[in-house]
Amino acid sequence: MSERGALRTRLDLLAREVAKFGAVGALGLVVNIAVSNLLWRTTDLQVVRAGLLATFVAILFNYIGFRYWTYRDRDKTGRTRELTLFLLFSAVGAVIETGVLYVATYGFGWDTPFQSNVFKILGIGIATLFRFWSYRTWVFKALPVKETVLSAEGFLQQGRTEQVPRVEADSVRR
């Protein structure tokens, strides 16, 4: 494969990963905003505490989506390590997200329901960039190339019902 073709393949894979990450993230955003608004309207929790609680509900939702859909083809060994790192990087993302809401609410006094939603979404957007990088780099690690090829070959072998004879290069030239 040419260098250009290899780059094209890598960009296509990255685009698919970003699309899947975005789809799970969009659903997580809906969960996060819905839980936030539910807590803001039905409880006496402070704006930032309710927002943080909603973020943790969305983090649990997102883990399931990322593990079983976005990154289902990634290394599945070391689930404890994976979950620990996921929670660690999610907590950092939650600090980023909640920090934006905190500054808007307590630093500037922007605490109407509309303003709280705007800054909640802005914080989520900033934190999402960090989460995408950290999850793909540290949490859901790609399988080494050799293992990926071997697992793909094993999958293809399982799908074959009959053995296809190999054609050697010399027999094609004759």
Side-chain angles (χ1 to χ4, degrees), residues 17 21 66-67 69-74 132 136 140:
E17 180 182 345
F21 187 91
F66 292 143
R67 167 44 45 218
W69 188 55
T70 305
Y71 297 112
R72 70 174 176 251
D73 60 334
R74 299 288 177 99
F132 178 73
R136 78 181 312 262
F140 301 107

Side-chain angles (χ1 to χ4, degrees), residues 44-155:
D44 291 332
L45 285 174
Q46 295 173 343
V47 171
V48 175
R49 286 186 184 160
L52 187 59
L53 185 58
T55 297
F56 286 119
V57 171
I59 285 170
L60 295 175
F61 174 86
N62 286 349
Y63 177 77
I64 294 167
F66 292 143
R67 167 44 45 218
Y68 296 104
W69 188 55
T70 305
Y71 297 112
R72 70 174 176 251
D73 60 334
R74 299 288 177 99
D75 187 11
K76 291 178 180 69
T77 60
R79 280 290 167 95
T80 303
R81 177 198 149 281
E82 174 186 282
L83 187 56
T84 302
L85 287 174
F86 181 84
L87 292 174
L88 174 73
F89 289 121
S90 294
V92 172
V95 168
I96 294 168
E97 177 184 326
T98 307
V100 171
L101 183 60
Y102 181 89
V103 169
T105 302
Y106 299 110
F108 295 102
W110 297 329
D111 60 355
T112 67
F114 176 76
Q115 291 168 331
S116 295
N117 278 306
V118 167
F119 289 103
K120 177 88 172 146
I121 292 169
L122 178 64
I124 290 170
I126 295 168
T128 296
L129 296 174
F130 169 77
R131 287 178 178 134
F132 178 73
W133 170 80
S134 63
Y135 294 166
R136 78 181 312 262
T137 304
W138 300 101
V139 180
F140 301 107
K141 298 184 80 142
L143 289 169
V145 175
K146 182 179 178 183
E147 289 180 27
T148 304
V149 170
L150 290 175
S151 68
E153 286 176 350
F155 174 76

